[in-house]
Amino acid sequence: AALGKSSRIGWIGTGVMGKSMCGHLLDAGYQCTVYNRTPEKVEPLIAKGAKKANSVYEVAKESDVIFTMLGFPSDVRQIILGSAHDDGVLKGLSPGRVLVDMTTSEPSLAREIDRIAGERKIETLDAPVSGGDVGAKNATLSIMVGGRKETFDAVMPMFSVMGKNINHMGPSGAGQSTKMVNQILISTTMVGLVEAMIYAHKSGLDPTNVLTAVGSGAAGSWSLTNYGPRIINRNFDPGFYVEHFVKDLEIALKESERMGLKLPGLQLAKNLYSKLNSMGHNRKGTHSLILALEDMNNIKHG
């Protein structure tokens, strides 16, 4: 059965994404208990009526459904499974409760969490998102979900408050695997895009004319339409941070290796993004990849 408005929600991780997503649940009339390692980051949600918890264990005790939106797989492991020093979320959740991890993390970790949670009769979903901070703010995120279909259906009313394109992808780990497909597509597309733009620049072409000429045919893409003009205007503000993208590509490579897959395009994209990261562009957007290619080719702008 669907979880109703009377369901108590717990939310852990109120950064850029989590703050907006939890805010939509509060606006929709759900009661939320929130926790963040940096306590001041929960203040905007407290102002909206959320209840503040002092530990993840406390959030779990107070919740029927708990959402986590964290940074790295290591954070997911520590907060959900706990450590020698701290009780994790699973310790505090009662049987029959639901845990939804919305962090982009490892498919294998999602399966491990599901197995351990299952022993305690707790349901889990891995539900990473795409659409960045803008999608989180506007409640237009794409949400890719792994786990039991019945659990997905029960949480669907909450997902639909946060996103638009919500898909059940299969068993535990399938949400994370789909997010990796998404990141492989974005990274390798971006390599082609910035190489093409550098080639156009070196050939003496007007880059805006080039976008018009090639953008509507088979060479066109969402990235070209949306990021092409920003690159031309030297606007590298993030839709998605380079440093988070490098983390995602590392997960994709690690999982590929685990499956015995060789993906040379992904490896190349990851190497180029790591170079960009080490150049100090870690807090710029993914489309700033052109800066790494300009550096390799001694191309100076402005």
Side-chain angles (χ1 to χ4, degrees), residues 244-265:
H244 292 163
F245 201 52
V246 170
K247 171 208 85 168
D248 293 357
L249 300 184
E250 282 168 354
I251 294 171
L253 280 167
K254 191 172 158 187
E255 290 291 323
S256 302
E257 210 169 290
R258 216 183 44 74
M259 296 188 286
L261 276 182
K262 289 184 174 57
L263 301 180

Side-chain angles (χ1 to χ4, degrees), residues 43-263:
E43 293 311 324
L45 295 168
I46 305 301
K48 275 191 169 208
K51 190 174 153 198
K52 185 177 182 173
N54 296 311
S55 69
V56 300
Y57 182 78
E58 194 184 313
V59 179
K61 276 276 174 246
E62 300 274 321
S63 306
D64 300 313
V65 187
I66 200 158
F67 291 90
T68 49
M69 188 55 155
L70 309 164
F72 292 86
S74 54
D75 302 321
V76 173
R77 181 176 288 281
Q78 189 186 349
I79 282 180
I80 292 176
L81 299 178
S83 65
H85 323 291
D86 297 301
D87 285 337
V89 168
L90 289 184
K91 268 268 173 62
L93 279 178
S94 313
R97 304 291 190 247
V98 182
L99 166 67
V100 185
D101 182 29
M102 303 192 79
T103 317
T104 294
S105 179
E106 297 163 354
S108 48
L109 179 57
R111 289 189 287 270
E112 182 186 342
I113 289 168
D114 183 63
R115 185 176 49 73
I116 296 166
E119 289 163 7
R120 309 178 72 106
K121 303 278 184 285
I122 294 161
E123 294 289 334
T124 77
L125 295 173
D126 49 296
V129 304
S130 74
D133 50 347
V134 176
K137 211 170 273 141
N138 299 334
T140 55
L141 292 168
S142 292
I143 309 176
M144 311 150 216
V145 190
R148 283 179 61 238
K149 178 72 164 74
E150 296 80 358
T151 313
F152 170 78
D153 290 340
V155 179
M156 188 62 180
M158 297 171 187
F159 284 146
S160 55
V161 167
M162 299 183 260
K164 284 275 183 284
N165 181 18
I166 305 153
N167 292 285
H168 180 247
M169 303 309 302
S172 186
Q176 298 295 357
S177 294
T178 308
K179 179 64 188 277
M180 289 304 120
V181 171
N182 189 81
Q183 303 307 63
I184 292 167
L185 280 164
I186 288 175
S187 64
T188 51
T189 300
M190 197 66 81
V191 174
L193 187 142
V194 300
E195 287 195 351
M197 292 190 76
I198 282 201
Y199 183 92
H201 168 80
K202 200 71 177 174
S203 305
L205 298 169
D206 176 306
T208 306
N209 276 352
V210 170
L211 291 193
T212 309
V214 305
S216 58
S221 65
W222 186 96
S223 291
L224 186 69
T225 304
N226 287 275
Y227 290 129
R230 289 192 220 174
I231 292 170
I232 291 167
N233 294 326
R234 313 300 287 172
N235 170 9
F236 298 119
D237 293 349
F240 193 73
Y241 289 126
V242 166
E243 62 186 1
H244 292 163
F245 201 52
V246 170
K247 171 208 85 168
D248 293 357
L249 300 184
E250 282 168 354
I251 294 171
L253 280 167
K254 191 172 158 187
E255 290 291 323
S256 302
E257 210 169 290
R258 216 183 44 74
M259 296 188 286
L261 276 182
K262 289 184 174 57
L263 301 180

